[in-house]
Amino acid sequence: MSATPDQANPVRAFVAQLWGSVFRHGLPTNDKVAARTALTNFFLHIHPVRVKKSAVRVSYTLCLGGLSFFLFILLTITGLFLMFYYIPSVDTAYQNVSDLQFVAVFGDIIRNMHRWAAHAMVITVWLHMARVFYQGAYKPPREFNWVIGTFLLLITLLLSFSGYLLPWDQLAIWAITVGTNMAKYAPIVGPYTRYLLLGGDQVAQGALIRFYVLHVIALPLVGFLLMVVHFWRVRKDGFTGGL
Amino acid sequence: MATVVEGGRDPRGTVTPRPQAPVPGPELASTPLVIRRREDEETVVTFPYLVWREFLAGLAAFCFLLLVSIQINAPLLSRANTSITPNPAKAPWYFVGLQELLERFPPIMAGVAFPSFVIIFMILTPYLDRNQSRRPQDRKVAIVLFTIYMCLAVAFVVIGEFFRGEAFNWDWTLILGHPGLSSPV
């Protein structure tokens, strides 16, 4: 008999079939299999098969764009957990957040992580912008991706700002009062913008539900869409690489 | 086993030339910072080379945040109360720079003109900068202007956050402590 080990052993044959049904290749032991892995995997397809070695040096990118995206995913997951407890009503919101912080198992760690990751993301997105500027990576053909990046920076700030109100404590309500008062100074549209944003003349239930909807649905959705386009264009335009 | 990519076809169907070892010609040696063409660059497979690095960076970031989150609690003050105004009332730290501007300039300038100018200028940056070179020595003006902007932005946030006390007045005691007391109050 010249049966291969897989044919001789039905368990091994099944495992091989199972692996083959999910991954169309073996472990990446050489460049050929590694290239197939990147080509046939949905999640890895965000990358080209090969990149310039100088473009992926940690000292060149400082991982800042990647870290910003990682923090966005982490914020989405921790935010999802927070949503199980949080009810966006002025009567319950503060109690919900207090329960998360002091009662719910691991609630404090999830909330702390959401908070610190949000601050960290503002910083990493900001530094990513600085990195791209100093390396002139916004120059043709990447002009429009810089524009998308600008909007992503604004979305990041708005996401953080809208989340700031949700704990409904003294820090939240007064920071949002100060922040939205700045909108008043715009000529003509200023007071109307503020009224639209707050759903009233002061920070109350109307503002809470508006900021909540913006924070958990509208802004993440717009941000995600812009991110998809941002990454797609990075993929298509290629990495700039060493100076 | 021979690799498929070198001398093979990339996904767009164009023949990818086998990467050549860079031969330092006389003109390359004299100006080492010319923009190199794609064929001159050494490339690596993204999987696992790049993906592994991304995984490590994500893991490090996660562990760092986990440790911070175990050690430091997110702030939670008393329940919101519109009749008790804290003094000073400050915006979130990334908008404190704007609040600091409002302290120094008329509202129409600080609250509207400056931020609009910054956002519009940022969006237009790649179209206004006609300089094609990416080399730092060719971009002195752009780098100096951007660095000034970055320093001002950070300075205003630091001032607003750490040097503004009651009624948003200048207050050294936030970082230096009260005269006669051993620790900051």
Side-chain angles (χ1 to χ4, degrees), chain A residues 47 58 61-75 116-128 131 156 227 231, chain B residues 50 53-65:
Chain A
H47 290 309
V58 173
T61 65
L62 306 175
C63 296
L64 288 167
L67 282 179
S68 305
F69 183 47
F70 176 79
L71 290 172
F72 179 80
I73 296 170
L74 194 67
L75 284 161
W116 303 134
H119 288 321
M121 189 177 163
V122 172
I123 295 169
T124 57
V125 171
W126 178 260
L127 291 177
H128 175 62
R131 194 278 286 177
T156 306
M227 263 179 249
F231 301 158
Chain B
L50 174 59
R53 286 175 177 216
E54 288 170 334
F55 172 74
L56 286 184
L59 192 66
F62 179 78
C63 290
F64 174 74
L65 275 172

Side-chain angles (χ1 to χ4, degrees), chain B residues 92-116:
Chain B
W93 63 267
Y94 36 84
F95 288 150
V96 152
L98 272 178
Q99 203 177 350
E100 175 65 25
L101 277 176
L102 279 167
E103 202 59 26
R104 292 162 182 271
F105 297 95
I108 190 76
M109 298 288 290
V112 185
F114 289 164
S116 308

Side-chain angles (χ1 to χ4, degrees), chain A residues 18-78:
Chain A
L18 193 66
W19 174 276
S21 68
V22 182
F23 305 105
R24 307 296 191 198
H25 46 75
L27 291 171
T29 47
N30 59 44
D31 275 12
K32 182 182 178 180
V33 184
R36 284 203 63 189
T37 309
L39 272 174
T40 57
N41 186 296
F42 175 79
F43 296 101
L44 294 181
H45 200 59
I46 194 170
H47 290 309
V49 173
R50 296 187 79 91
V51 281
K52 282 184 277 186
K53 202 169 185 176
S54 66
V56 292
R57 278 202 327 266
V58 173
S59 61
Y60 181 73
T61 65
L62 306 175
C63 296
L64 288 167
L67 282 179
S68 305
F69 183 47
F70 176 79
L71 290 172
F72 179 80
I73 296 170
L74 194 67
L75 284 161
T76 307
I77 295 169
T78 52

Side-chain angles (χ1 to χ4, degrees), chain A residues 180-225:
Chain A
T180 50
N181 275 346
M182 290 178 193
K184 272 198 311 209
Y185 299 121
I188 306 166
V189 293
Y192 294 99
T193 309
R194 184 170 183 274
Y195 191 92
L196 182 73
L197 205 57
L198 295 183
D201 285 320
Q202 56 173 323
V203 183
Q205 178 63 57
L208 183 59
I209 191 68
R210 279 170 199 228
F211 274 55
Y212 177 76
V213 173
L214 286 175
H215 187 73
V216 303
I217 291 288
L219 290 169
L221 215 60
V222 176
F224 183 75
L225 191 69

